[in-house]
Amino acid sequence: FGLMISLLLASSASSQSIDSPPLALDPVEFLAGSYKYVGKPEEDHATIEKSIEAAITSLGWLGRKIARNRLHNHKELPPRIEISRVGDKVSIVMGEYSAVAKDDGTERELVGPNGRDSKLHYELEPETIVQYFVFEHAQRKSTYSFNKAEQLVMTVYMTSEKLASPIEYSLVYERE
């Protein structure tokens, strides 16, 4: 009789683990919080400047001047980042700029951090939030995740058909 109960319990437990999906951690809840910039401003500015200069090499002198002006906002290092969930929306506040959109990938029109019209959407991956701004001639992808030291890393990857190469950089933040 004891063996039969043991078999029933084992069978019930094994079918439960097969039938029920593993619990996935919500990346927004996982990354939620307030973070302060802890990078090295001189090094980060130099990295961003080098990436911008490499990206605009194919442009003429006037094109480079216009591109530098338009890409100036990349040189601003947000002193704080706040990540939160507001209902079915993801909210990421970078300094004074707030980017809020649904968590299901739905695009939303808004004015981007560069002051230009854009579309914003989020993609949620395990332990990572990917934020996309799509502009008329460019796309900016910002990835938010933790490094091994449990610091928040914002990695920016910006492309445009007008640029010779992508603009890439990463900024590091610690939880406040």
Side-chain angles (χ1 to χ4, degrees):
F1 181 72
L3 177 62
M4 192 165 142
I5 290 176
S6 296
L7 286 172
L8 282 173
L9 288 174
S11 169
S12 168
S14 68
S15 69
Q16 187 176 11
S17 63
I18 291 172
D19 295 339
S20 57
L23 296 176
L25 186 61
D26 176 16
V28 180
E29 297 301 322
F30 178 69
L31 296 168
S34 295
Y35 302 87
K36 64 180 177 181
Y37 172 73
V38 295
K40 297 176 180 160
E42 303 82 24
E43 290 179 20
D44 287 340
H45 278 122
T47 299
I48 294 167
E49 185 68 33
K50 183 178 177 183
S51 187
I52 289 172
E53 288 303 315
I56 64 175
T57 57
S58 63
L59 303 175
W61 71 270
L62 182 58
R64 285 194 304 272
K65 183 176 180 176
I66 292 169
R68 278 188 200 102
N69 186 42
R70 288 188 178 170
L71 296 169
H72 176 74
N73 71 308
H74 285 279
K75 296 176 190 173
E76 297 171 16
L77 308 175
R80 294 182 71 240
I81 291 179
E82 291 183 45
I83 299 174
S84 63
R85 175 178 290 290
V86 181
D88 65 347
K89 295 180 176 79
V90 177
S91 172
I92 298 183
V93 179
M94 301 163 282
E96 299 295 317
Y97 184 80
S98 178
V100 180
K102 287 193 169 199
D103 63 5
D104 65 0
T106 303
E107 278 191 342
R108 168 179 182 244
E109 292 187 14
L110 75 165
V111 175
N114 62 358
R116 302 176 87 70
D117 290 339
S118 69
K119 293 179 182 174
L120 165 68
H121 77 274
Y122 287 103
E123 291 180 8
L124 304 181
E125 298 175 359
E127 301 181 3
T128 303
I129 299 172
V130 183
Q131 176 188 63
Y132 290 94
F133 285 98
V134 179
F135 305 96
E136 184 179 1
H137 296 288
Q139 178 174 310
R140 172 182 164 147
K141 173 184 173 183
S142 299
T143 303
Y144 300 85
S145 60
F146 288 131
N147 62 16
K148 290 180 182 179
E150 295 189 24
Q151 297 170 309
L152 180 74
V153 178
M154 176 180 75
T155 302
V156 175
Y157 184 85
M158 186 169 162
T159 58
S160 171
E161 68 267 8
K162 297 184 178 199
L163 299 176
S165 61
I167 296 170
E168 299 179 79
Y169 58 92
S170 296
L171 302 175
V172 179
Y173 294 80
E174 286 186 353
R175 194 178 293 275
E176 290 186 310

